[in-house]
Amino acid sequence: MYSFLTTGNWPDYELIDSGNFEKLERFGQHVLARPEPQAIWDPHLPASEWQRANATFTREKGSQERGQWKIKPGTPEQWIINYGQEGLKLRFRLGMSSFKHVGLFPEQDPNWQFIYAQTKKRRAAVPRVLNLFAYTGAATLAARAAGADVTHLDSVKQVNFWARDNMEASGLDGVRWLVEDAMKYVQREVKRGNKYQGLILDPPAYGRGPNGEKWQLEDELNEMLKLCRQLLDPEDHFFLINLYSLGFSALILDNLVTEIFPKAQGTREIGEIYLHDRGQRKLPLGTFCRFAN
């Protein structure tokens, strides 16, 4: 089934406007303007509204990601926002990084709900969930809040510290934190014969492991998914992968999942994730595939 996913009503987040390759967002009480390569249309709101942003990110010449924030006086560099949907209640610490990110991808809201609901549906008394390329841990916390034994893996130590802050802010504990190369870890887990009732992947287009290991999405994803198939409990599982890579079609995921997880055809959901702004433009922010048995 091909689907389009977007956020529900979330008081602490709003995509206010988008256009001219930028997006204007509200996180709690603070409004940020930052680059967005897929917002190729004109903004809905006048420039005066964009100028009211508390902080604006400007890219360095020759870089798609790195740059600097221009922050208005009185705007904190870090703050907390609340999240609550369908019984799942979390808190996230946000901060302005030199790569335009703030520590959270709000468009993933429907996937957090999926993780929370599917973890609760597992037949295992304490479901085991592995979150790969886990970043600051929103998906990790969704699984943990539902009672899972969660392993959170990311190759950047500072990002894991950030995820731990989010865990503590959300009143949770007990997550296993790993600073590892995802491919190497999954290969070892397959050799050990370990199984998980939940697997979550949000791999980047390009990245490096803690010891310089190279990750290139188009080169590594096929092998990664084959290994994940071996890690899933065949009788009791859910699986979620999210991709944000320009030009990486959902049809690519469809082909891979059809071949590697043929038994998932009946429950598989695949498609795009987007956010809508006040002008009702739909801003695409990635592709996904998820299924459960």
Side-chain angles (χ1 to χ4, degrees):
M1 180 173 64
Y2 197 90
S3 303
F4 294 93
L5 301 180
T6 192
T7 58
N9 180 31
W10 183 354
D12 265 10
Y13 176 78
E14 180 187 10
L15 176 63
I16 299 170
D17 197 11
S18 59
N20 283 348
F21 304 100
E22 292 188 306
K23 55 187 175 183
L24 187 68
E25 302 165 283
R26 179 181 56 79
F27 293 90
Q29 298 179 353
H30 306 294
V31 175
L32 310 180
R34 53 182 175 151
E36 177 47 62
Q38 300 204 84
I40 68 172
W41 44 83
D42 293 333
H44 175 70
L45 297 174
S48 58
E49 290 295 316
W50 286 71
Q51 291 166 2
R52 296 173 61 184
N54 299 98
T56 301
F57 186 89
T58 303
R59 284 197 299 256
E60 293 178 358
K61 289 184 178 180
S63 174
Q64 290 297 313
E65 295 286 336
R66 186 177 290 275
Q68 291 185 332
W69 289 93
K70 182 178 180 181
I71 304 173
K72 289 183 177 178
T75 303
E77 293 193 10
Q78 296 184 6
W79 67 102
I80 297 283
I81 68 168
N82 297 306
Y83 171 83
Q85 298 279 10
E86 303 296 329
L88 175 61
K89 297 185 184 300
L90 302 172
R91 304 187 80 210
F92 303 115
R93 175 176 68 81
L94 304 188
M96 295 179 234
S97 76
S98 60
F99 291 91
K100 82 176 181 180
H101 301 302
V102 296
L104 190 68
F105 295 95
E107 68 274 8
Q108 292 300 313
D109 161 27
N111 280 334
W112 304 333
Q113 294 179 52
F114 172 84
I115 293 165
Y116 183 70
Q118 288 299 328
T119 300
K120 283 184 168 293
K121 290 180 180 179
R122 295 309 98 212
R123 295 185 291 279
V126 181
R128 298 184 69 208
V129 174
L130 174 61
N131 187 9
L132 299 168
F133 312 97
Y135 193 48
T136 56
T140 293
L141 301 185
R144 182 66 187 134
D149 175 3
V150 187
T151 298
H152 171 113
L153 184 149
D154 198 277
S155 64
V156 180
K157 183 182 295 185
Q158 292 83 354
V159 166
N160 276 5
F161 290 151
W162 197 336
R164 186 186 293 268
D165 287 347
N166 288 334
M167 178 188 71
E168 293 173 353
S170 298
L172 299 171
D173 59 15
V175 171
R176 183 186 183 206
W177 310 101
L178 295 180
V179 179
E180 282 262 18
D181 176 74
M183 184 68 80
K184 287 183 176 179
Y185 181 76
V186 168
Q187 289 168 343
R188 292 201 307 273
E189 285 290 89
V190 169
K191 289 181 180 179
R192 294 171 183 138
N194 284 331
K195 299 293 182 184
Y196 292 87
Q197 285 74 49
L199 285 179
I200 305 163
L201 296 86
D202 195 354
Y206 174 82
R208 291 282 185 182
N211 296 311
E213 301 93 341
K214 183 180 178 181
W215 168 271
Q216 191 79 37
L217 184 65
E218 60 269 27
D219 295 335
E220 312 292 342
L221 186 58
N222 191 17
E223 180 183 355
M224 175 61 81
L225 292 181
K226 289 176 182 177
L227 292 167
C228 286
R229 177 187 60 201
Q230 298 178 69
L231 286 182
L232 275 180
D233 179 337
E235 303 300 327
D236 184 20
H237 64 249
F238 73 87
F239 178 86
L240 167 65
I241 182 169
N242 183 79
L243 300 175
Y244 180 77
S245 180
L246 293 179
F248 208 95
S249 167
L251 292 175
I252 296 176
L253 269 182
D254 191 24
N255 291 332
L256 286 168
V257 172
T258 297
E259 181 173 323
I260 296 171
F261 301 96
K263 294 182 180 180
Q265 298 304 306
T267 63
R268 187 186 65 193
E269 187 179 9
I270 194 164
E272 295 186 51
I273 294 178
Y274 72 94
L275 291 171
H276 55 84
D277 62 21
R278 291 179 185 176
Q280 296 306 308
R281 275 82 54 83
K282 298 178 177 66
L283 177 63
L285 290 167
T287 59
F288 77 95
C289 180
R290 62 193 195 183
F291 58 82
N293 74 345

